[in-house]
Amino acid sequence: MELNLETVTTPPRPAATVVLLRDAPAGLEVFLMKRHGLSDVLGGAYVFPGGKVDAADADLDMVAHMDQPLDTLHDGLGEADISASTAGALYVAALREAFEECGVLFAQGGSVQPATQAAALLREGHGFNAVLAQMALRLQTRSILPWSRWITPTQPSVMNKRFDTRFFVAAVPDGQVARHDNFETTESIWFSPREALQQYWAGQIELAPPQIMSLAHLARHSAVDSVLAAARARRPPVIQPESFNDNSGRVICYPGDARHSVRELALPGPTRLHYRNQRFEPATGFEGLFA
């Protein structure tokens, strides 16, 4: 993965990501998809379902199609600098992306198999909002919990675009199967967080820094309920990476690191990554992660 050396002065684009979780016999697993190699955003890397907020996300009739009022969603994000309608659009984007990218529908009402019927309507060319209206579905915002907020710095590590991404965590709904779409993503797999990181360190898969750090945070949990309980117990922290160069190359530090402007730890775990030989390597805070 090539290191970006450009400075990006444009404002970050609002985006939303859903980290899908499930309990497996060996413990917690996370759903990852491989982005198409020709994608201009993290092509070839394994990512969580997600994408940028579209204008239509704010146009949804949220009273009719959301299971919680906008003020509740706004309070859950803990962001005083955005409006309640903006908060609602972020939730809609997260739920829409989860459905469009991997077929997982967090909704109640409609037919016996709403996810299957909704997917068929989507393939026919109906937009997400139109599908919800036609099937009289209400999105289950209670099923996705705010986890963190990542803001790309003006010198991004591996791409030349900036995003302001809200990460949500959620258990995959019973009976639904997450899968890649064979368009934006070409492969998908369930990994334990530790296994995903180990495969990255071994050069078997590609990961970008937000995924590396999120997996490291999740690796400290053994079950879905543990992750969801942690999400309910706190406000989602804001994570703005900062970088500097030393004799070994680029170093990316995170809140809580001695070199970061924010000295309070955002989430328990690592606070630094090193970029060497076209890869990010574990540094401060990864000790004991694979014990």
Side-chain angles (χ1 to χ4, degrees):
M1 190 173 290
E2 295 289 339
L3 186 67
N4 172 65
L5 300 177
E6 297 180 23
T7 297
V8 182
T9 58
T10 54
R13 299 194 64 172
T17 286
V18 181
V19 183
L20 293 174
L21 309 168
R22 73 178 184 185
D23 288 319
L28 178 71
E29 290 187 339
V30 178
F31 183 71
L32 288 166
M33 305 181 304
K34 184 178 182 180
R35 290 194 63 80
H36 195 289
L38 298 179
S39 172
D40 62 348
V41 178
L42 301 180
Y46 278 78
V47 299
F48 310 119
K52 65 182 184 296
V53 177
D54 290 341
D57 295 327
D59 294 336
L60 179 70
D61 184 344
M62 297 188 192
V63 174
H65 296 294
M66 303 280 260
D67 65 343
Q68 296 187 93
L70 290 179
D71 286 345
T72 301
L73 302 180
H74 185 233
D75 182 65
L77 288 178
E79 298 180 34
D81 59 335
I82 66 171
S83 66
S85 60
T86 298
L90 288 163
Y91 272 83
V92 175
L95 294 162
R96 174 183 55 77
E97 289 286 348
F99 179 56
E100 291 178 350
E101 288 205 335
C102 65
V104 173
L105 181 64
F106 291 93
Q108 56 192 27
S111 64
V112 177
Q113 295 181 308
T116 301
Q117 183 179 348
L121 290 172
L122 202 68
R123 288 193 298 271
E124 292 173 5
H126 299 275
F128 185 65
N129 293 359
V131 171
L132 297 179
Q134 182 170 334
M135 296 181 62
L137 295 174
R138 293 177 69 85
L139 294 173
Q140 293 179 318
T141 62
R142 288 183 175 87
S143 296
I144 64 171
L145 301 178
W147 179 254
S148 59
R149 177 184 179 185
W150 285 76
I151 302 177
T152 309
T154 55
Q155 190 174 67
S157 299
V158 293
M159 57 185 176
N160 58 3
K161 296 183 179 181
R162 298 185 67 207
F163 295 95
D164 184 351
T165 307
R166 281 69 172 188
F167 281 63
F168 297 84
V169 289
V172 67
D174 290 340
Q176 294 198 44
V177 178
R179 54 174 63 89
H180 55 280
D181 63 5
N182 274 324
F183 178 66
E184 291 188 3
T185 55
T186 57
E187 299 177 30
S188 57
I189 193 167
W190 286 92
F191 273 134
S192 75
R194 284 180 173 84
E195 184 181 7
L197 290 172
Q198 288 167 338
Q199 291 219 10
Y200 174 74
W201 307 141
Q204 296 172 321
I205 65 173
E206 290 289 341
L207 294 171
Q211 284 70 38
I212 294 171
M213 299 297 286
S214 296
L215 288 165
H217 297 144
L218 292 167
R220 285 158 172 79
H221 297 272
S222 60
V224 173
D225 283 348
S226 174
V227 177
L228 301 183
R232 293 187 184 99
R234 56 163 175 76
R235 296 287 192 187
V238 179
I239 302 174
Q240 294 181 267
E242 297 176 359
S243 62
F244 62 92
N245 294 320
D246 63 12
N247 293 333
S248 64
R250 176 73 62 87
V251 178
I252 306 173
C253 55
Y254 300 88
D257 189 85
R259 288 289 299 265
H260 198 281
S261 60
V262 177
R263 302 307 294 273
E264 183 179 353
L265 191 67
L267 288 171
T271 62
R272 184 177 293 195
L273 284 172
H274 288 162
Y275 184 84
R276 300 188 183 98
N277 301 318
Q278 297 187 314
R279 299 192 63 77
F280 293 95
E281 298 179 359
T284 306
F286 283 88
E287 300 85 0
L289 184 59
F290 303 119

